[in-house]
Amino acid sequence: MRNTITQDEAAKRVEEHIHAVVALLPKEARLEQGLSTPQNCDDPTDNGPRGRVTESHSYQIHDLPPADYNAYFDTIKQWWERHGYQILTDSRPKGMYLWAESKNDSFRISIKANDVGGFYVIASSPCVWPQGTPAPSE
């Protein structure tokens, strides 16, 4: 078992990924925080040990014109590609969903939108130990 960043550090880095996206949007964009909760990593896809958590935060972004959503998606996708993210899913034109993973730290981030004015950004950390080190009983 190896050490990880702490849960608090993961939460901070999740916010950094989100705010990097928001910085690409017009200054009128207004954030409304949604869920920001740690989730157990008891059945992790990496077959790692129990006791780890992931940090996941979501925001709805208001005051953006839906007619410009596709242009915002293009801007964000291009920024991600130039800044070390791998695009995992781009469901356009069928749907407005874009999902990427940072090659530097394995954090994942997505944006999604709908035609009734909903624009969302969600980011999550990889599995981390709450204190950055494995629990003594592990």
Side-chain angles (χ1 to χ4, degrees), residues 30-34 58-62 114 117-121:
R30 181 176 51 85
L31 292 175
E32 176 185 350
Q33 189 168 2
S58 67
Y59 289 86
Q60 182 171 2
I61 303 174
H62 298 281
N114 59 47
F119 193 104
Y120 305 88
V121 60

Side-chain angles (χ1 to χ4, degrees), residues 65-74 76 89-99 110-116 118-122:
D68 294 336
Y69 284 176
N70 202 51
Y72 301 143
F73 271 60
D74 288 341
I76 292 164
T89 302
D90 184 348
S91 63
R92 296 176 297 161
K94 185 177 179 181
M96 294 295 288
Y97 180 72
L98 184 60
W99 184 35
S110 64
I111 54 173
K112 63 182 180 176
N114 59 47
D115 56 3
V116 293
F119 193 104
Y120 305 88
V121 60
I122 303 145

Side-chain angles (χ1 to χ4, degrees), residues 1-4 49 129 131-138:
M1 290 182 284
R2 59 186 168 89
N3 292 346
T4 64
W129 294 105
Q131 301 305 314
T133 56
S137 62
E138 300 290 335

Side-chain angles (χ1 to χ4, degrees), residues 7-137:
Q7 183 177 343
D8 289 342
E9 291 167 329
K12 180 181 177 194
R13 200 167 300 168
V14 162
E15 288 294 316
E16 290 170 356
H17 284 277
I18 288 171
H19 287 280
V21 166
V22 173
L24 301 170
L25 300 171
K27 63 182 179 212
E28 299 85 31
R30 181 176 51 85
L31 292 175
E32 176 185 350
Q33 189 168 2
L35 292 176
S36 293
T37 58
Q39 299 173 350
N40 288 330
C41 233
D42 287 341
D43 188 20
T45 57
D46 65 1
N47 297 315
R50 295 180 184 269
R52 297 175 301 158
V53 297
T54 61
E55 274 293 322
S56 180
H57 299 186
S58 67
Y59 289 86
Q60 182 171 2
I61 303 174
H62 298 281
D63 302 330
L64 296 175
D68 294 336
Y69 284 176
N70 202 51
Y72 301 143
F73 271 60
D74 288 341
T75 297
I76 292 164
K77 181 180 181 181
Q78 290 167 8
W79 189 90
W80 282 345
E81 289 173 332
R82 288 191 314 269
H83 289 88
Y85 289 80
Q86 176 183 351
I87 304 302
L88 302 173
T89 302
D90 184 348
S91 63
R92 296 176 297 161
K94 185 177 179 181
M96 294 295 288
Y97 180 72
L98 184 60
W99 184 35
E101 180 175 320
S102 170
K103 295 175 188 175
N104 296 327
D105 60 13
S106 299
F107 280 63
R108 291 186 172 186
I109 186 163
S110 64
I111 54 173
K112 63 182 180 176
N114 59 47
D115 56 3
V116 293
F119 193 104
Y120 305 88
V121 60
I122 303 145
S124 60
S125 74
C127 295
V128 299
W129 294 105
Q131 301 305 314
T133 56
S137 62

